[in-house]
Structures are given as C-alpha cells and as structure tokens.
Amino acid sequence: LARFGVGHDGINKALASRKGILCTNTPEVLNQSVAEYTISLILLCARRVSRMDSDLHNGAWAPFQGKELKDSRLAVIGCGGIGRLVARTASLGFGMSVAGQYRREETRRELEGLGFFALLTTSFEEAVKDADFVTLHIPANTTTRHVINRSRLEALPSRHT
C-alpha cells in the first residue's frame, strides 16, 4: 500500500501488518507544494480576497485596504520540512518576521543555523503572541490530537481589521 504524501495517518498499520501488507509513503515529495499553498492562503487572508469576492458576487463594490506582508509577523507552529520552507519564503520572499515553535532541542540547533527566525520557542503562546498570521505544520497523530484547543485559540492575538 503506497501513499503519495507524508505519513500514514489514515492507514491502520496494525491491521495492515497482520495481513502482511507493506505500507510506504513518499516523505518530502509535497513539501514545496504545501509550503506554496500555505503562502497563497496567507496572501488571500492578508488581502481579504474571500470577502471581496463575496461582496462582488452580491453586487457590492466596497473596496478596502488589505495588509501588506512586509514587516508582518508569522508564527510557524511546527518547524519541520514544510514549516521551514514556509518560514524561508515568508522571511526572504516577503520580508516577514517569523516566529517558530518547535518541540525538540535538536530542532532548535538546526533552525538557529538557518538565520531567518526572529523568535524560536517551544511555547505556543510565546510564538503566537505578536503574530499577524499563524500557520500549523505538525503531523496528525495521537500526540498532536487537540493541540489546537480553546485555550490556544484564546492565546491568539485579536485583530480587528
């Protein structure tokens, strides 16, 4: 059973093993695509494209100013391969300040060498404290289940734009 993408989240590996079915995946093959898609979603949010589209479809022309990404703060939750690509694109491509939340000390040492994170922390609350945008790049498994919960949503800064 081969999965095109990262992880085996939707596969019952115990059952597959009992049946003698080998499970494989293609790690990192979609990292660039997911990072680009993430950046496109950030751009859509910054320029409020969905709202403008809805207004236009409802016959309203009510232009408003979006937010420039330059000098905005991005919090990257999960600094694996995809999170790093998003951070690099945001920092070097758009001039954003990037905060990264990581889980392991080895990750911190790797990330420090990259030089484009304004803040590196293991604290979700510290990473998102001044964020204009937050992006989540963590595996879906039992240790990350419910990682985004009421208290973490309440930790996000309020933006009234």
Side-chain angles (χ1 to χ4, degrees):
L1 180 60
R3 183 178 185 288
F4 181 67
V6 177
H8 303 107
D9 305 343
I11 298 172
N12 183 334
K13 289 179 281 300
L15 177 60
S17 293
R18 284 195 305 275
K19 299 282 186 179
I21 299 171
L22 176 66
C23 297
T24 66
N25 66 347
T26 54
E28 299 181 20
V29 72
L30 297 175
N31 286 9
Q32 186 65 38
S33 293
V34 174
E36 289 177 12
Y37 186 67
T38 299
I39 292 294
S40 71
L41 292 174
I42 292 169
L43 284 164
L44 290 170
C45 289
R47 295 301 178 165
R48 301 168 73 183
V49 172
S50 179
R51 180 172 170 196
M52 282 195 297
D53 180 63
S54 177
D55 286 352
L56 286 172
H57 276 88
N58 290 318
W61 174 250
F64 45 84
Q65 187 172 351
K67 178 172 186 50
E68 289 187 355
L69 296 186
K70 185 173 180 355
D71 298 325
S72 292
R73 178 66 155 252
L74 172 64
V76 176
I77 309 304
C79 297
I82 295 169
R84 292 175 197 187
L85 285 171
V86 169
R88 179 158 71 216
T89 304
S91 176
L92 301 177
F94 290 96
M96 296 178 80
S97 170
V98 180
Q101 187 217 354
Y102 63 95
R103 291 189 310 171
R104 295 181 308 273
E105 196 55 39
E106 311 83 66
T107 306
R108 180 181 183 87
R109 285 191 294 277
E110 293 171 23
L111 295 172
E112 284 173 339
L114 298 176
F116 53 83
F117 284 94
L119 169 71
L120 285 170
T121 180
T122 57
S123 164
F124 177 89
E125 291 73 17
E126 189 177 356
V128 303
K129 184 175 77 170
D130 297 317
D132 297 294
F133 304 93
V134 177
T135 183
L136 183 68
H137 300 284
I138 59 176
N141 58 38
T142 56
T143 63
T144 61
R145 186 171 167 83
H146 301 298
V147 72
I148 300 300
N149 55 32
R150 180 182 302 265
S151 68
R152 289 218 164 133
L153 289 173
E154 289 170 351
L156 297 173
S158 301
R159 297 289 191 249
H160 302 285
T161 57

